Amino acid sequence: MKKWTMTLCLLLSLTASTASIHASAAGSAGSAEAAVTTAVATVQATAGIKSYGPEYLIKNDGSLWIWGGTKSVPTLLPGLKDVQAAYGFGLQAGGLAVTRDNAVWRWQTNPKTLAVEVTPVQELTKVTALSTLWSRYIAIDGNGAVFSSPRVSDEDKSPLYTVVPGIDNVAAVNGYNEWDGNKGWERINFLKKDGTVWTSRDELSTFEPVQNLTGILQLTQQYALKKDGTLWTWPIQSYDSADSGKPFPSVLSASRVSGLTDIRSIHGNSRTMLAVDAQSRLWFWGSTVTGWPDGTTYHEQKVPVCLTGIKNVTGAYFMERSIVALTADGKAYTASLEGDSMSADAKFTLLASDITSIQEGERHLILQKKDGSLLGWGVNKDGQLGYGEYEFSYKTPVPVQKPIAVSLNGERVTLTNGVITRSGQNFIPLRSLFDKMGANVSYKEDTKSVPSGKAGGTTTTVDKKVTITRAAGDKPAISITINSVTGATTVNNKTVTLETPPFVVYGTIYLPLRFISEQLGASVNWMPQEEEIAITYK
């Protein structure tokens, strides 16, 4: 059950014109992928988006917008300017932002006030990568130094980052859980700038090199991709040595994965791997799945299989029980991971067209189209898709709402949630605006019983009413009452009809801005170049 809040929101009747990291170092990805990368840069510049992630985007003006959790659509993060890069922890946990002066800032939603708090991270400068590994965060700076937070809970506001001794010159990091049949542990792998791989499994106390790994471009799980296109992996060690009883009983050594050559990129999760080769073919190995939470069964395929149902692949991703492939012609296709095995002729279904890039979240994807707009697909129970709703999931991609700023008399307004666009109209939270316009806002719930239609039966209904009043100052007195359930509205006790009824999202009530603005004497304008709603009140 969603908790009701006292946040009051208004509708604007204007039509707007419309990583977590995957541990990898820079390297050639082939002509097709290079062409896509160039297209992405062009599209982002045109659309005003500098970069984006699973739950955030950065506009060309350096503003940072976030969504997920209590934010159902992209919402401007207050207090930050000139943001050059961002790294998300995921939803309520927030993330890190790097500004033009190389300062690092953390943003996080306060669980009590629901306000987003921005605090400096003094220990870090010029972060180039961030990894969320279990309950700790690991950051890498421009010099290749590694910083780690202690194990923290979601309630902690600002983890203290300290430099990790014994490892340096790092380009990327990843981690996963291992189990030797008797004991489990966490393994963290580091890809150094010189192309070697080092690993730790004892809380970052000691590190050892993985033998046979040089010239590495990318790490995913326990797999490493070399510059020559060969793929290498290493086994799970027994935690305790039979002869000494101490950790790290033997040298960890990688061996080449047979059957795969000329690989250009790899991508994996805890059970499944995908690879794209020089011919833009997609390879699969790992686990498919049958059953559901109470009886899930994983079926392992150790030998890589080339998926012939898809061609010209430039990128591969996971979304729940599906794999997604992006092709050179800008189409995203999906195939199911459900079943006893993955056959070479597995069926791929068109998911979306005109796609230039994809960012992967924990249980969802964000896709960018050629026109610069964003789409979301997957699990949405926490608003991960930025769609303005909290339906659990959607079968087809839905549009991420456009990031639109709001200003009052030239000053940006801090919103609890961003602009929601429905039926060509923009809905916007503006309670703080009413206070600045000399109005008072009150909220009341009335419970009553009405006949149910059955003999002697009744039904309990709840009316949620918002009252906006202004009695002081040199402006005319006014009283506006709106029932957010029925839409019934009165102005100074006279009934009026609203063109667009109010609605509620995550306990936040959205009311018609243009109507109330006219009653209070404000004017509203859409500024397309700035993508901003400008409200003027004198």
Side-chain angles (χ1 to χ4, degrees), residues 317-333:
Y317 314 87
F318 294 99
M319 202 297 292
E320 290 288 274
R321 297 185 173 200
S322 300
I323 59 176
V324 174
L326 178 61
T327 57
D329 59 356
K331 293 182 178 179
Y333 294 87

Side-chain angles (χ1 to χ4, degrees), residues 95-122:
L96 295 182
V98 183
T99 50
R100 184 177 299 172
D101 59 1
N102 290 328
V104 178
W105 305 78
R106 183 181 183 187
W107 80 84
Q108 185 180 27
T109 299
N110 186 307
K112 295 181 179 180
T113 66
L114 302 184
V116 179
E117 299 173 345
V118 179
T119 55
V121 183
Q122 303 288 357

Side-chain angles (χ1 to χ4, degrees), residues 293-355:
D294 292 337
T296 300
T297 301
Y298 295 95
H299 308 271
E300 186 176 4
Q301 290 181 236
K302 295 183 178 180
V303 179
V305 56
C306 183
L307 303 181
T308 59
I310 189 77
K311 298 180 180 180
N312 301 320
V313 177
T314 60
Y317 314 87
F318 294 99
M319 202 297 292
E320 290 288 274
R321 297 185 173 200
S322 300
I323 59 176
V324 174
L326 178 61
T327 57
D329 59 356
K331 293 182 178 179
Y333 294 87
T334 180
S336 177
L337 286 171
E338 295 185 4
D340 296 332
S341 64
M342 178 70 74
S343 63
D345 61 351
K347 181 181 179 181
F348 280 82
T349 304
L350 181 64
L351 181 67
S353 300
D354 298 326
I355 302 301

Side-chain angles (χ1 to χ4, degrees), residues 24 38 93 125 164 185 194 207 216 237 263 273 300 305 426 442 444 461 467 477 484 489:
S24 62
T38 301
T125 58
V164 177
W185 61 90
D194 62 5
F207 305 87
I216 301 301
Q237 291 175 303
I263 300 301
M273 288 293 300
E300 186 176 4
V305 56
N426 294 326
S442 61
K444 183 179 180 181
T461 63
T467 301
S484 66
T489 304

Side-chain angles (χ1 to χ4, degrees), residues 215 219 224 263 283 325 332 360 515 518:
L219 285 180
I263 300 301
W283 294 79
E360 185 181 81
F515 168 76
E518 291 175 352

Side-chain angles (χ1 to χ4, degrees), residues 140-163:
I140 302 170
D141 70 10
N143 297 320
V146 177
F147 294 80
S148 175
S149 73
R151 295 189 176 277
V152 295
S153 65
D154 290 340
E155 289 74 25
D156 290 327
K157 295 182 178 180
S158 182
L160 178 64
Y161 287 85
T162 56
V163 67

